C-alpha cells in the first residue's frame, strides 16, 4: 500500500504532492511533485507518527474527576491511588485498550508505558507475575500501536527508604533481583519493546541505581516536585540529578521525565551526558508542578521528547506547542522553539528505543498522520505552522507500520468512544 500526501513533513520542511511508497511496513521511497497516482490519498498535512514517551494508562480514569472543590494535589492523588487499587488484569486490559485507542485517534503510533502496577492489591504476585504487563502489551496490539513497556523498579515509599504501604504494595518486587527476574520473562516483538524504568530517587534506593545504569531505554521521574529535591539533599547531600550521575545513570539511552525543578548544574549534567528529557506540559499544568527549563535543556544537549503522562489531555499538538507556550509565559518572550523542533520532540521514537521511526524517509517504519487543514481550527493556517493551530480532533487518518488504523477519524479496529465510555462507567 502506498500513500499520496497533499503536504508532507519530510525532514524539517514541507513538501507538496508527495508519493510515499511502502513495502513490508516500511517507507521505500518519498517523491515530491507527483500528481497522477493510484495511491491512497491523504488530504491536508501528513506528519510522521507521534511518540507518546510517557504514559500511565490507568490515570485516564481520573480525567474530569479531580477538580471538585477546586481540586488540590491530594484530591488527585487519593483518586489515583483508589483507581490503582481497583484494577485487575482484565480490567486493566479493557482500560488500556480504550486509552491506546484514544491515542491512535490522536496520531500517536507508539506509546511508552511507564508501568508499575504489577501485583495483586496485597502485593502478592499473580499466577503469571507479568499478567498486568501482558495486559498492556495486548492492549497496544488491539489498538494497533507499538509499545515500549517501561517496566518500573519501585521499592520504597520515601527517599529515606520507608517500606511500601497500602496500594503501593502492588508496585514493588521486594528487591532488585525480584524485579529483574520478573522483567526478564517479558516477551518483545516487532511491535513491542521491553524497556526499564526506575520510578524516582524516592522509590529506588541509591545502591541499586548503578545496577540499572546502561539498560536502554531507561526512563525515570526526575525532580517533578521540589520536595523530592529537598529530601534527596537531606539524605544524600546532592540533587537527584547529581545522585543519578554519580551512579552512571545519565547517558543517551536514559530519559528523565519532567525535569521541572533543576539547578544550573543539573541542566549542564543532563545536557553534557546527552540524556533525554521527556516533558509532559499538559500534566505538569494540571498537577501544578511548574514549568521545566525545556529550552535550556535542549540548548545544553538534552534530546527532548513529549508525553501525555496522566492523560488529563491526549493531544500531541497541545503537548508540542506547550513547550513553546510555557516558555513564553515563563520568560515573557516569544520564539524559543521552531515548529521543526516541536515536531521533532513530538516524534522522538528513539526515546522509546525505536531508532527506525519518527521521520517520513525511506527505510523508516511507515507511520503517517494526516491532519486536516480545512477544519474550523486549521482553516487558513500555513501547513508549516499548522502544529500551532491543530488539535487531535483534526487527525483524520493514521498509518502504523504501513497499516491504516484510523480512517476518516474512526479507529478501524473498534469503537473507541464506546470502549472508553464502557470501561469508565
Ligand atoms: Zn509519570
Amino acid at each position: 500500500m502506498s500513500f499520496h500526501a497533499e503536504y508532507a513533513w519530510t525532514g524539517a520542511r514541507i513538501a507538496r504532492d508527495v508519493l510515499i511508497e511502502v513495502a513490508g511496513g516500511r517507507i521505500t521511497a518519498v517523491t515530491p511533485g507527483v500528481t497522477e497516482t493510484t495511491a491512497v490519498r491523504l488530504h491536508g498535512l501528513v506528519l510522521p507518527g507521534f511518540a507518546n514517551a510517557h504514559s500511565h494508562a490507568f490515570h485516564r480514569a481520573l480525567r474530569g474527576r479531580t477538580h471538585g472543590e477546586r481540586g488540590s494535589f491530594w484530591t488527585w492523588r487519593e483518586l489515583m491511588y483508589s483507581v490503582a487499587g481497583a484494577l485487575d488484569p482484565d480490567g486493566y486490559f479493557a482500560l488500556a485498550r480504550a486509552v491506546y485507542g484514544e491515542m491512535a485517534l490522536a496520531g500517536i503510533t507508539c506509546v511508552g508505558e511507564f508501568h508499575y502496577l504489577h501485583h495483586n492489591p496485597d502485593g502478592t504476585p499473580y499466577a503469571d507475575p507479568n499478567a498486568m504487563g501482558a495486559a498492556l502489551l495486548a492492549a497496544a496490539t488491539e489498538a494497533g500501536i507499538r509499545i515500549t513497556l517501561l517496566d518500573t523498579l519501585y521499592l520504597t515509599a520515601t527517599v529515606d527508604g520507608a517500606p511500601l504501604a497500602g496500594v503501593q504494595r502492588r508496585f514493588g518486587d521486594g528487591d532488585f533481583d525480584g524485579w529483574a527476574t520478573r522483567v526478564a520473562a517479558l516477551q518483545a516483538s516487532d511491535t513491542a519493546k521491553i524497556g526499564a524504568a526506575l520510578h524516582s530517587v524516592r522509590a529506588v534506593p541509591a545502591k541499586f541505581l548503578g545496577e540499572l545504569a546502561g539498560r536502554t531505554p531507561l526512563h525515570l521521574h526526575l525532580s517533578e516536585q521540589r520536595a523530592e529535591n529537598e529530601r534527596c539533599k537531606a539524605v544524600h547531600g546532592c540533587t537527584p540529578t547529581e545522585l543519578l550521575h554519580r551512579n552512571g545513570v545519565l547517558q543517551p539511552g536514559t530519559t528523565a521525565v519532567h525535569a521541572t525543578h533543576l539547578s544550573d548544574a543539573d541542566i549542564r549534567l543532563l545536557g553534557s551526558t546527552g540524556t533525554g528529557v521527556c516533558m509532559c506540559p499538559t500534566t505538569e499544568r494540571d498537577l501544578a508542578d511548574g514549568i521545566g527549563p525545556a529550552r535550556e535543556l535542549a540548548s545544553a544537549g538534552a534530546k527532548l521528547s513529549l508525553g501525555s503522562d496522566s492523560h488529563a489531555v491526549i493531544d500531541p499538538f497541545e503537548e508540542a506547542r506547550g513547550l513553546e507556550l510555557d516558555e513564553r509565559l515563563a520568560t515573557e518572550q516569544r520564539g524559543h522553539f521552531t515548529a521543526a523542533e516541536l515536531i521533532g520532540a513530538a516524534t522522538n521514537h528513539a526515546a522509546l528505543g525505536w531508532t527506525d521511526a519518527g521521520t517520513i524517509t525511506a527505510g523508516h517504519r511507515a507511520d503517517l498522520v494526516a491532519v486536516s487543514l480545512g477544519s474550523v481550527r486549521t482553516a487558513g493556517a500555513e501547513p508549516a505552522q499548522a502544529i500551532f493551530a491543530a488539535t487531535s480532533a483534526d487527525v483524520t487518518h493514521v498509518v502504523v507500520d504501513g497499516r491504516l488504523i484510523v480512517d476518516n477519524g474512526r479507529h478501524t479496529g473498534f469503537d473507541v468512544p464506546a470502549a472508553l465510555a464502557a470501561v469508565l462507567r
Side-chain angles (χ1 to χ4, degrees):
M1 191 182 264
S2 292
F3 301 90
H4 181 273
E6 185 181 356
Y7 297 93
W9 187 263
T10 54
R13 59 186 189 84
I14 297 279
R16 259 208 99 147
D17 291 315
V18 182
L19 179 65
I20 304 163
E21 293 173 78
V22 174
R26 292 191 182 255
I27 298 168
T28 55
V30 179
T31 315
V34 177
T35 50
E36 297 295 317
T37 176
T38 56
V40 175
R41 295 261 180 184
L42 298 174
H43 296 287
L45 170 64
V46 175
L47 296 170
F50 296 118
N52 190 355
H54 191 63
S55 163
H56 305 285
F58 74 94
H59 289 194
R60 173 64 181 82
L62 308 182
R63 186 188 299 173
R65 303 181 69 87
T66 63
H67 306 276
E69 301 292 328
R70 296 185 184 156
S72 70
F73 177 77
W74 300 105
T75 321
W76 181 87
R77 190 168 138 136
E78 271 173 38
L79 194 63
M80 189 268 278
Y81 274 176
S82 77
V83 174
L87 286 164
D88 63 13
D90 289 347
Y92 206 9
F93 168 76
L95 177 57
R97 169 180 178 265
V99 175
Y100 295 160
E102 182 182 354
M103 289 184 195
L105 292 177
I108 290 160
T109 58
C110 186
V111 62
E113 180 67 33
F114 198 104
H115 167 54
Y116 53 82
L117 205 49
H118 298 124
H119 303 299
N120 278 301
D122 65 359
T124 58
Y126 289 104
D128 170 6
N130 281 312
M132 293 294 253
L136 293 163
L137 294 170
T141 299
E142 289 246 339
I145 67 174
R146 292 190 303 277
I147 185 170
T148 298
L149 187 69
L150 299 158
D151 199 299
T152 305
L153 179 62
Y154 196 128
L155 296 175
T156 54
T158 65
V159 179
D160 316 76
L164 301 179
V167 71
Q168 292 179 334
R169 289 177 297 168
R170 301 195 80 169
F171 310 161
D173 289 289
D175 56 25
F176 179 86
D177 290 340
W179 170 82
T181 303
R182 183 178 54 70
V183 172
L186 283 160
Q187 296 284 322
S189 73
D190 184 52
T191 58
K193 287 187 190 294
I194 308 302
L198 69 97
H199 182 274
S200 56
V201 298
R202 168 175 72 72
V204 175
K207 63 182 175 184
F208 295 130
L209 295 177
E211 304 257 11
L212 288 157
R215 286 193 182 236
T216 180
L218 173 67
H219 285 218
L220 56 102
H221 292 124
L222 179 66
S223 296
E224 181 178 8
Q225 307 277 340
R226 293 182 196 277
E228 176 187 302
N229 292 354
E230 284 155 20
R231 286 313 301 156
C232 189
K233 280 181 195 160
V235 174
H236 299 295
C238 63
T239 66
T241 301
E242 289 163 349
L243 182 65
L244 293 163
H245 184 56
R246 280 184 199 167
N247 287 281
V249 174
L250 301 186
Q251 52 178 299
T254 297
T255 293
V257 181
H258 301 302
T260 309
H261 302 288
L262 301 180
S263 68
D264 290 345
D266 291 342
I267 293 170
R268 283 195 298 273
L269 276 179
L270 289 161
S272 65
T273 52
T275 303
V277 173
C278 178
M279 295 285 177
C280 308
T282 67
T283 291
E284 289 149 8
R285 249 176 244 176
D286 185 74
L287 293 178
D289 289 342
I291 300 171
R295 179 66 262 176
E296 287 178 79
L297 282 162
S299 297
K303 271 246 181 305
L304 299 185
S305 54
L306 291 163
S308 64
D309 189 5
S310 70
H311 314 310
V313 174
I314 294 179
D315 186 336
F317 301 93
E318 190 63 33
E319 302 296 346
R321 62 178 169 257
L323 276 186
E324 167 65 20
L325 299 180
D326 287 352
E327 289 280 336
R328 290 184 188 181
L329 284 174
T331 63
E332 300 174 45
Q333 284 186 353
R334 305 180 91 226
H336 301 272
F337 290 98
T338 63
E341 288 173 310
L342 299 180
I343 292 172
T347 58
N348 185 355
H349 291 253
L352 296 174
W354 304 87
T355 53
D356 58 350
T359 65
I360 302 177
T361 49
H364 263 198
R365 288 169 178 265
D367 287 6
L368 306 171
V369 177
V371 184
S372 171
L373 294 175
S375 79
V376 289
R377 289 163 294 274
T378 57
E382 285 190 23
Q385 296 177 35
I387 192 160
F388 286 99
T391 73
S392 56
D394 298 312
V395 170
T396 60
H397 295 75
V398 180
V399 174
V400 184
D401 291 327
R403 291 179 302 113
L404 190 68
I405 61 158
V406 174
D407 187 7
N408 267 319
R410 287 173 185 274
H411 199 283
T412 57
F414 61 99
D415 182 338
V416 174
L420 277 168
V423 73
L424 294 171
R425 193 176 293 134

